[in-house]
Amino acid sequence: FVEFYGPGLARLPLADRATIGNMAPEYGATCGIFPVDAETVHYLEFTGRPPEQLELVAAYLKEQGLFRSTDSPAAEYSDSLELELGSVEPSLAGPRRPQDRVRLSAAKQDFQAQLERMLEAAPAGGGMVRGAEQVGVGAATAAAIAAGAPAGVRVVVGGEPVTLDHGSVVIAAITSCTNTSNPSVMVAAGLLARNAVERGLGSQPWVKTSLAPGSKVVMDYLTDAGLVPYLEQLGFHLVGYGCTTCIGNSGPLPPAISAAIEEGGLVAVSVLSGNRNFEGRINPDVRANYLASPPLVVAYALAGRMDVDLYNEPLGRDAQGRSVFLKDVWPTQHEVQQVMQRSVRSEMFRKQYAHVFEGDERWTTLPAPGGELFEWDADSTYVKEPPYFLDMPEAPPAVQDVSGARVLALLGDSITTDHISPAGSIKPDSPAGRYLLERGVARTDFNSYGARRGNHEVMMRGTFANIRLRNALVPGLEGGYTVHFPTGERMSIFDAAMKYAAENVPLLVIAGKEYGTGSSRDWAAKGPRLLGVRSVMAESYERIHRSNLVGMGVLPLEFRPGESAASLGLTGTEEYQVLGLADGVAAGFRRAWDVTVRARRTDGSALEFRARARVDTPQELEYYRHGGILPYVLRQLVSRTQVPA
């Protein structure tokens, strides 16, 4: 839990505080919080809250000793870090994780360093144009060519021939996250667009651009400031206000661009102002994804490539052929503040939020059934009755040891919830896509996993189906595939799980360090449980996801310090027993609850080792004993409402 304090806090606008708080996962915190002070009350007033609410907020928090002022007593913290605000410099995050910070001044070199590793998993293409100098490709591609990798691929976009190469930015999205409700960065993006257009610059033709603010107020003040036409001239047209590119809702790339990336096995890039950039999330054609501020998104749309030094290399050339650098079009802080003072007004918030809960005519005319119970539609492909309570006994059955288990996936380090939980678009040839096609859903109506999260049949089929998942049971292959044992048959993870379920075989997942990092979404725990996963065995866990696993009745086991699947010689082909579960639960909560894991190899030999059951609290033990938090809560409700005979 990170709380910010210090003399610099008084000069930090609330919108900046909200951005920092929202991005807590990027700096490894459960939450980032700021004390309430005069700036908070000012923001509430500016955004249209009534005077009585302002008085209540201030009075209550002052009475509780939680209102910060210059004479507030110093708080006590378990640890303290010092940050000199003047030392902060522009940064991005990527290319695969939001916590991997990249200084803008070193972004070109960092991408070049990352490229070789990304190329190892990229499919080989054919028919490329050879010779970096001949086709004028980027520096990253020149380095890749020197290492024997493919060069650029010629493609016609808008009637003009261009060359795509490793590092080409094909998506530049100002997408709907806290960034896009922050007036300072949105105004900066608009001013940068204006300055670039006035210098004769344009977005590169292969870049798919979009604008999805986090609030309708954003378009009000951008329009008032006269900046919308400049953003649109660069391709940043309003596409909506909900989650877009950040959750994979950017839509497909133009067919010619997609084909060129496939042909060349290119490491294409997206730059977005969201806060999630995990593998396979943004777009299936894009392997490198960078998080950036809205003005930097515009800058990379102008440059069109990631392997560019924005401090020392030009964004492009003006009508006179002169080089235009980022410093030439970047707005000053004074310019940004002037526009904000003139165009961001309190009445905009009051107008937009006065009727925010009413909805438009389409919403108000939707038919809504009545009654106390929800009426499940058996034909719905969006919302289905989940199976969590089917055949649930009144009392929890005794916890049993695991016997005869097989490994569904053998995974490495930093397996994120995006690798586990379905996100983004649904491929037609995937288990989820086939499920929808069989039910008459046209491909154009697939929507996304996020939109269909109320249908467990879709979500189960998307679990571990990330296109960038690397399962060591199927080396050299990316995606949601595995091997069924003992037949050795290769198939999708979903199909294998259903085959194991028919055979009454429990399942394990084995992984490395930091299992479950990222947004700790519920489906990252629900999906494995519905696939029949009884336990995950990893070197370490992201703390919220570990708790979520217990909450779904999936046991998180942790290798002992210094041990791992590799050090123990585990290949995932073994048959497993997990012994000591029943005794551990029966003994009640205790720290350092260890179990015995026995792995029988295909040659008949056996390996036995100890692992720690990461059920960390007495309440978690109750959840696990009941098979998860859902049956636990339902049983509690039933017991409290039963009427004595």
CSV table of all heavy atoms in Angstrom, one decimal, residues 347-386:
chain,number,residue,atom,x,y,z
A,347,GLU,N,-18.8,24.0,-15.8
A,347,GLU,CA,-20.2,23.7,-16.3
A,347,GLU,C,-20.2,22.5,-17.3
A,347,GLU,O,-21.2,21.8,-17.5
A,347,GLU,CB,-20.8,24.9,-17.0
A,347,GLU,CG,-20.0,25.4,-18.2
A,347,GLU,CD,-19.0,26.6,-17.8
A,347,GLU,OE1,-18.7,26.6,-16.6
A,347,GLU,OE2,-18.7,27.4,-18.7
A,348,MET,N,-19.0,22.2,-17.9
A,348,MET,CA,-18.9,21.0,-18.8
A,348,MET,C,-19.2,19.7,-18.0
A,348,MET,O,-19.9,18.8,-18.4
A,348,MET,CB,-17.5,20.9,-19.4
A,348,MET,CG,-17.3,22.1,-20.4
A,348,MET,SD,-15.6,22.0,-21.0
A,348,MET,CE,-15.6,23.3,-22.2
A,349,PHE,N,-18.6,19.6,-16.8
A,349,PHE,CA,-18.8,18.5,-15.9
A,349,PHE,C,-20.3,18.4,-15.5
A,349,PHE,O,-20.9,17.3,-15.5
A,349,PHE,CB,-17.9,18.5,-14.7
A,349,PHE,CG,-16.4,18.3,-15.1
A,349,PHE,CD1,-15.7,19.4,-15.4
A,349,PHE,CD2,-15.9,17.1,-15.1
A,349,PHE,CE1,-14.3,19.3,-15.7
A,349,PHE,CE2,-14.5,16.9,-15.4
A,349,PHE,CZ,-13.7,18.0,-15.7
A,350,ARG,N,-20.8,19.5,-15.1
A,350,ARG,CA,-22.2,19.5,-14.6
A,350,ARG,C,-23.2,19.1,-15.7
A,350,ARG,O,-24.1,18.3,-15.5
A,350,ARG,CB,-22.6,20.9,-14.1
A,350,ARG,CG,-22.0,21.2,-12.7
A,350,ARG,CD,-22.6,22.4,-12.1
A,350,ARG,NE,-22.3,23.6,-12.8
A,350,ARG,CZ,-21.3,24.4,-12.6
A,350,ARG,NH1,-20.5,24.1,-11.6
A,350,ARG,NH2,-21.1,25.5,-13.3
A,351,LYS,N,-22.9,19.6,-16.9
A,351,LYS,CA,-23.8,19.2,-18.1
A,351,LYS,C,-23.7,17.7,-18.4
A,351,LYS,O,-24.7,17.1,-18.6
A,351,LYS,CB,-23.4,20.1,-19.3
A,351,LYS,CG,-24.1,19.7,-20.6
A,351,LYS,CD,-23.5,20.4,-21.8
A,351,LYS,CE,-24.1,19.9,-23.1
A,351,LYS,NZ,-23.5,20.5,-24.3
A,352,GLN,N,-22.5,17.2,-18.5
A,352,GLN,CA,-22.3,15.8,-18.9
A,352,GLN,C,-22.8,14.8,-17.9
A,352,GLN,O,-23.3,13.7,-18.2
A,352,GLN,CB,-20.9,15.5,-19.3
A,352,GLN,CG,-20.4,16.2,-20.6
A,352,GLN,CD,-21.1,15.6,-21.8
A,352,GLN,OE1,-21.8,14.6,-21.8
A,352,GLN,NE2,-20.9,16.3,-23.0
A,353,TYR,N,-22.7,15.2,-16.6
A,353,TYR,CA,-23.0,14.2,-15.6
A,353,TYR,C,-24.3,14.4,-14.9
A,353,TYR,O,-24.7,13.7,-14.0
A,353,TYR,CB,-21.8,14.2,-14.5
A,353,TYR,CG,-20.6,13.6,-15.1
A,353,TYR,CD1,-19.5,14.4,-15.4
A,353,TYR,CD2,-20.5,12.2,-15.3
A,353,TYR,CE1,-18.3,13.9,-16.0
A,353,TYR,CE2,-19.3,11.7,-15.8
A,353,TYR,CZ,-18.2,12.5,-16.1
A,353,TYR,OH,-17.1,12.0,-16.7
A,354,ALA,N,-25.1,15.4,-15.4
A,354,ALA,CA,-26.4,15.7,-14.8
A,354,ALA,C,-27.3,14.5,-15.0
A,354,ALA,O,-28.2,14.2,-14.1
A,354,ALA,CB,-26.9,17.0,-15.3
A,355,HIS,N,-27.2,13.9,-16.1
A,355,HIS,CA,-28.1,12.8,-16.5
A,355,HIS,C,-27.4,11.5,-16.8
A,355,HIS,O,-27.9,10.7,-17.6
A,355,HIS,CB,-29.0,13.2,-17.7
A,355,HIS,CG,-29.7,14.5,-17.5
A,355,HIS,ND1,-30.7,14.7,-16.6
A,355,HIS,CD2,-29.4,15.8,-18.0
A,355,HIS,CE1,-31.1,16.0,-16.6
A,355,HIS,NE2,-30.3,16.7,-17.5
A,356,VAL,N,-26.2,11.3,-16.2
A,356,VAL,CA,-25.4,10.2,-16.5
A,356,VAL,C,-26.0,8.8,-16.3
A,356,VAL,O,-25.7,7.9,-17.0
A,356,VAL,CB,-24.0,10.3,-15.8
A,356,VAL,CG1,-24.2,10.1,-14.3
A,356,VAL,CG2,-23.0,9.4,-16.4
A,357,PHE,N,-26.9,8.8,-15.3
A,357,PHE,CA,-27.5,7.5,-15.0
A,357,PHE,C,-28.8,7.2,-15.7
A,357,PHE,O,-29.4,6.2,-15.5
A,357,PHE,CB,-27.7,7.4,-13.5
A,357,PHE,CG,-26.5,7.4,-12.7
A,357,PHE,CD1,-26.2,8.4,-11.9
A,357,PHE,CD2,-25.6,6.3,-12.8
A,357,PHE,CE1,-25.0,8.5,-11.1
A,357,PHE,CE2,-24.4,6.3,-12.0
A,357,PHE,CZ,-24.1,7.4,-11.2
A,358,GLU,N,-29.2,8.1,-16.6
A,358,GLU,CA,-30.5,7.9,-17.3
A,358,GLU,C,-30.4,7.1,-18.5
A,358,GLU,O,-31.3,6.4,-18.9
A,358,GLU,CB,-31.1,9.3,-17.6
A,358,GLU,CG,-31.5,10.1,-16.3
A,358,GLU,CD,-32.0,11.5,-16.6
A,358,GLU,OE1,-32.2,11.8,-17.8
A,358,GLU,OE2,-32.2,12.3,-15.6
A,359,GLY,N,-29.3,7.3,-19.3
A,359,GLY,CA,-29.1,6.6,-20.5
A,359,GLY,C,-29.9,7.2,-21.7
A,359,GLY,O,-30.8,8.1,-21.5
A,360,ASP,N,-29.6,6.8,-22.9
A,360,ASP,CA,-30.3,7.4,-24.1
A,360,ASP,C,-31.6,6.6,-24.3
A,360,ASP,O,-32.0,5.7,-23.6
A,360,ASP,CB,-29.4,7.4,-25.3
A,360,ASP,CG,-28.9,6.0,-25.7
A,360,ASP,OD1,-29.5,5.0,-25.2
A,360,ASP,OD2,-28.0,6.0,-26.5
A,361,GLU,N,-32.2,6.9,-25.5
A,361,GLU,CA,-33.5,6.2,-25.8
A,361,GLU,C,-33.4,4.7,-26.0
A,361,GLU,O,-34.2,4.0,-25.6
A,361,GLU,CB,-34.1,6.9,-27.1
A,361,GLU,CG,-35.4,6.3,-27.5
A,361,GLU,CD,-36.0,6.9,-28.7
A,361,GLU,OE1,-35.3,7.8,-29.3
A,361,GLU,OE2,-37.0,6.5,-29.2
A,362,ARG,N,-32.2,4.3,-26.6
A,362,ARG,CA,-32.0,2.9,-26.8
A,362,ARG,C,-32.0,2.1,-25.4
A,362,ARG,O,-32.4,1.0,-25.3
A,362,ARG,CB,-30.8,2.6,-27.6
A,362,ARG,CG,-30.9,3.1,-29.0
A,362,ARG,CD,-29.5,3.0,-29.7
A,362,ARG,NE,-28.6,4.0,-29.1
A,362,ARG,CZ,-27.3,4.1,-29.5
A,362,ARG,NH1,-26.8,3.4,-30.5
A,362,ARG,NH2,-26.5,5.0,-28.9
A,363,TRP,N,-31.4,2.8,-24.4
A,363,TRP,CA,-31.2,2.1,-23.1
A,363,TRP,C,-32.6,2.1,-22.4
A,363,TRP,O,-33.0,1.1,-21.9
A,363,TRP,CB,-30.2,2.9,-22.3
A,363,TRP,CG,-30.1,2.4,-20.9
A,363,TRP,CD1,-30.6,3.0,-19.8
A,363,TRP,CD2,-29.4,1.2,-20.4
A,363,TRP,NE1,-30.3,2.2,-18.7
A,363,TRP,CE2,-29.6,1.1,-19.0
A,363,TRP,CE3,-28.7,0.2,-21.1
A,363,TRP,CZ2,-29.1,0.1,-18.3
A,363,TRP,CZ3,-28.2,-0.8,-20.3
A,363,TRP,CH2,-28.3,-0.9,-19.0
A,364,THR,N,-33.3,3.2,-22.4
A,364,THR,CA,-34.5,3.3,-21.7
A,364,THR,C,-35.6,2.5,-22.3
A,364,THR,O,-36.6,2.1,-21.6
A,364,THR,CB,-35.0,4.8,-21.6
A,364,THR,OG1,-35.2,5.3,-22.9
A,364,THR,CG2,-34.0,5.6,-20.8
A,365,THR,N,-35.5,2.1,-23.6
A,365,THR,CA,-36.6,1.3,-24.2
A,365,THR,C,-36.2,-0.2,-24.2
A,365,THR,O,-37.0,-1.0,-24.8
A,365,THR,CB,-36.8,1.8,-25.7
A,365,THR,OG1,-35.6,1.7,-26.4
A,365,THR,CG2,-37.4,3.2,-25.7
A,366,LEU,N,-35.1,-0.6,-23.6
A,366,LEU,CA,-34.8,-2.0,-23.6
A,366,LEU,C,-35.8,-2.7,-22.7
A,366,LEU,O,-36.2,-2.3,-21.6
A,366,LEU,CB,-33.4,-2.2,-23.0
A,366,LEU,CG,-32.2,-2.0,-23.9
A,366,LEU,CD1,-30.9,-2.2,-23.0
A,366,LEU,CD2,-32.2,-3.0,-25.0
A,367,PRO,N,-36.4,-3.9,-23.2
A,367,PRO,CA,-37.3,-4.6,-22.4
A,367,PRO,C,-36.6,-5.3,-21.2
A,367,PRO,O,-35.5,-5.8,-21.3
A,367,PRO,CB,-37.9,-5.7,-23.3
A,367,PRO,CG,-36.8,-5.8,-24.4
A,367,PRO,CD,-36.2,-4.5,-24.5
A,368,ALA,N,-37.1,-5.1,-20.0
A,368,ALA,CA,-36.5,-5.7,-18.8
A,368,ALA,C,-37.6,-6.5,-18.1
A,368,ALA,O,-38.6,-6.0,-17.6
A,368,ALA,CB,-36.0,-4.6,-17.9
A,369,PRO,N,-37.3,-7.8,-17.9
A,369,PRO,CA,-38.3,-8.7,-17.2
A,369,PRO,C,-38.3,-8.4,-15.8
A,369,PRO,O,-37.4,-7.9,-15.2
A,369,PRO,CB,-37.7,-10.1,-17.5
A,369,PRO,CG,-36.2,-9.9,-17.7
A,369,PRO,CD,-36.1,-8.6,-18.4
A,370,GLY,N,-39.5,-8.6,-15.2
A,370,GLY,CA,-39.6,-8.4,-13.7
A,370,GLY,C,-39.5,-9.7,-12.9
A,370,GLY,O,-38.9,-10.6,-13.4
A,371,GLY,N,-39.9,-9.6,-11.7
A,371,GLY,CA,-39.8,-10.8,-10.9
A,371,GLY,C,-38.6,-10.8,-10.0
A,371,GLY,O,-37.6,-10.0,-10.2
A,372,GLU,N,-38.5,-11.6,-9.0
A,372,GLU,CA,-37.4,-11.7,-8.0
A,372,GLU,C,-36.3,-12.5,-8.5
A,372,GLU,O,-35.1,-12.3,-8.0
A,372,GLU,CB,-38.0,-12.2,-6.7
A,372,GLU,CG,-39.0,-11.3,-6.0
A,372,GLU,CD,-39.4,-11.9,-4.6
A,372,GLU,OE1,-38.9,-13.0,-4.3
A,372,GLU,OE2,-40.2,-11.2,-3.9
A,373,LEU,N,-36.5,-13.4,-9.4
A,373,LEU,CA,-35.4,-14.3,-9.9
A,373,LEU,C,-35.1,-14.0,-11.3
A,373,LEU,O,-35.9,-13.7,-12.1
A,373,LEU,CB,-35.8,-15.7,-9.7
A,373,LEU,CG,-36.1,-16.2,-8.3
A,373,LEU,CD1,-36.5,-17.7,-8.4
A,373,LEU,CD2,-34.9,-16.1,-7.4
A,374,PHE,N,-33.8,-14.0,-11.6
A,374,PHE,CA,-33.3,-13.8,-13.0
A,374,PHE,C,-33.8,-15.0,-13.9
A,374,PHE,O,-33.7,-16.1,-13.5
A,374,PHE,CB,-31.8,-13.7,-13.1
A,374,PHE,CG,-31.3,-13.4,-14.4
A,374,PHE,CD1,-31.3,-12.1,-14.9
A,374,PHE,CD2,-30.8,-14.4,-15.3
A,374,PHE,CE1,-30.8,-11.7,-16.1
A,374,PHE,CE2,-30.3,-14.0,-16.5
A,374,PHE,CZ,-30.3,-12.7,-17.0
A,375,GLU,N,-34.3,-14.6,-15.1
A,375,GLU,CA,-34.8,-15.7,-16.0
A,375,GLU,C,-33.7,-16.0,-17.0
A,375,GLU,O,-33.4,-15.2,-17.9
A,375,GLU,CB,-36.0,-15.2,-16.8
A,375,GLU,CG,-37.2,-14.9,-15.8
A,375,GLU,CD,-38.4,-14.4,-16.6
A,375,GLU,OE1,-38.4,-14.5,-17.9
A,375,GLU,OE2,-39.4,-14.0,-15.9
A,376,TRP,N,-33.1,-17.1,-16.8
A,376,TRP,CA,-32.0,-17.5,-17.7
A,376,TRP,C,-32.5,-17.9,-19.1
A,376,TRP,O,-33.5,-18.6,-19.2
A,376,TRP,CB,-31.2,-18.7,-17.1
A,376,TRP,CG,-30.6,-18.5,-15.8
A,376,TRP,CD1,-31.1,-18.9,-14.6
A,376,TRP,CD2,-29.4,-17.8,-15.6
A,376,TRP,NE1,-30.3,-18.5,-13.6
A,376,TRP,CE2,-29.2,-17.8,-14.1
A,376,TRP,CE3,-28.4,-17.2,-16.3
A,376,TRP,CZ2,-28.1,-17.2,-13.5
A,376,TRP,CZ3,-27.4,-16.6,-15.7
A,376,TRP,CH2,-27.2,-16.6,-14.4
A,377,ASP,N,-31.8,-17.4,-20.1
A,377,ASP,CA,-32.2,-17.7,-21.5
A,377,ASP,C,-31.2,-18.8,-22.0
A,377,ASP,O,-30.0,-18.5,-22.2
A,377,ASP,CB,-32.1,-16.4,-22.4
A,377,ASP,CG,-32.5,-16.7,-23.8
A,377,ASP,OD1,-32.8,-17.8,-24.2
A,377,ASP,OD2,-32.4,-15.7,-24.6
A,378,ALA,N,-31.8,-19.9,-22.2
A,378,ALA,CA,-30.9,-21.1,-22.6
A,378,ALA,C,-30.3,-20.8,-24.0
A,378,ALA,O,-29.2,-21.4,-24.3
A,378,ALA,CB,-31.8,-22.4,-22.7
A,379,ASP,N,-30.8,-20.0,-24.8
A,379,ASP,CA,-30.3,-19.7,-26.1
A,379,ASP,C,-29.3,-18.6,-26.2
A,379,ASP,O,-28.7,-18.3,-27.2
A,379,ASP,CB,-31.4,-19.4,-27.1
A,379,ASP,CG,-32.3,-20.6,-27.3
A,379,ASP,OD1,-31.8,-21.8,-27.2
A,379,ASP,OD2,-33.5,-20.4,-27.5
A,380,SER,N,-29.1,-17.9,-25.1
A,380,SER,CA,-28.2,-16.7,-25.0
A,380,SER,C,-26.7,-17.2,-25.2
A,380,SER,O,-26.3,-18.2,-24.5
A,380,SER,CB,-28.4,-15.9,-23.7
A,380,SER,OG,-27.4,-14.9,-23.7
A,381,THR,N,-26.0,-16.5,-26.0
A,381,THR,CA,-24.5,-16.8,-26.1
A,381,THR,C,-23.7,-15.7,-25.3
A,381,THR,O,-22.5,-15.8,-25.3
A,381,THR,CB,-24.1,-16.7,-27.6
A,381,THR,OG1,-24.4,-15.5,-28.2
A,381,THR,CG2,-24.7,-17.9,-28.3
A,382,TYR,N,-24.4,-14.8,-24.6
A,382,TYR,CA,-23.8,-13.8,-23.8
A,382,TYR,C,-23.8,-14.1,-22.3
A,382,TYR,O,-22.9,-14.0,-21.6
A,382,TYR,CB,-24.4,-12.4,-24.0
A,382,TYR,CG,-23.8,-11.8,-25.3
A,382,TYR,CD1,-24.5,-11.8,-26.5
A,382,TYR,CD2,-22.6,-11.1,-25.2
A,382,TYR,CE1,-24.0,-11.2,-27.6
A,382,TYR,CE2,-22.1,-10.4,-26.3
A,382,TYR,CZ,-22.8,-10.5,-27.5
A,382,TYR,OH,-22.2,-9.9,-28.6
A,383,VAL,N,-25.0,-14.6,-21.8
A,383,VAL,CA,-25.2,-14.8,-20.4
A,383,VAL,C,-25.8,-16.2,-20.2
A,383,VAL,O,-26.9,-16.5,-20.7
A,383,VAL,CB,-26.1,-13.8,-19.8
A,383,VAL,CG1,-26.3,-14.0,-18.3
A,383,VAL,CG2,-25.6,-12.4,-20.0
A,384,LYS,N,-25.1,-17.1,-19.5
A,384,LYS,CA,-25.6,-18.4,-19.2
A,384,LYS,C,-25.5,-18.7,-17.7
A,384,LYS,O,-24.6,-18.1,-17.0
A,384,LYS,CB,-24.8,-19.5,-20.0
A,384,LYS,CG,-25.0,-19.5,-21.5
A,384,LYS,CD,-24.3,-20.6,-22.2
A,384,LYS,CE,-25.0,-21.9,-21.9
A,384,LYS,NZ,-26.3,-22.0,-22.5
A,385,GLU,N,-26.4,-19.5,-17.2
A,385,GLU,CA,-26.3,-19.9,-15.8
A,385,GLU,C,-25.0,-20.7,-15.5
A,385,GLU,O,-24.8,-21.7,-16.1
A,385,GLU,CB,-27.5,-20.8,-15.4
A,385,GLU,CG,-27.5,-21.1,-13.9
A,385,GLU,CD,-28.8,-21.9,-13.5
A,385,GLU,OE1,-29.5,-22.3,-14.4
A,385,GLU,OE2,-29.0,-22.1,-12.3
A,386,PRO,N,-24.2,-20.1,-14.6
A,386,PRO,CA,-22.9,-20.8,-14.4
A,386,PRO,C,-23.1,-22.1,-13.6
A,386,PRO,O,-24.1,-22.2,-12.9
A,386,PRO,CB,-22.1,-19.8,-13.6
A,386,PRO,CG,-23.2,-18.9,-12.9
A,386,PRO,CD,-24.3,-18.9,-13.9
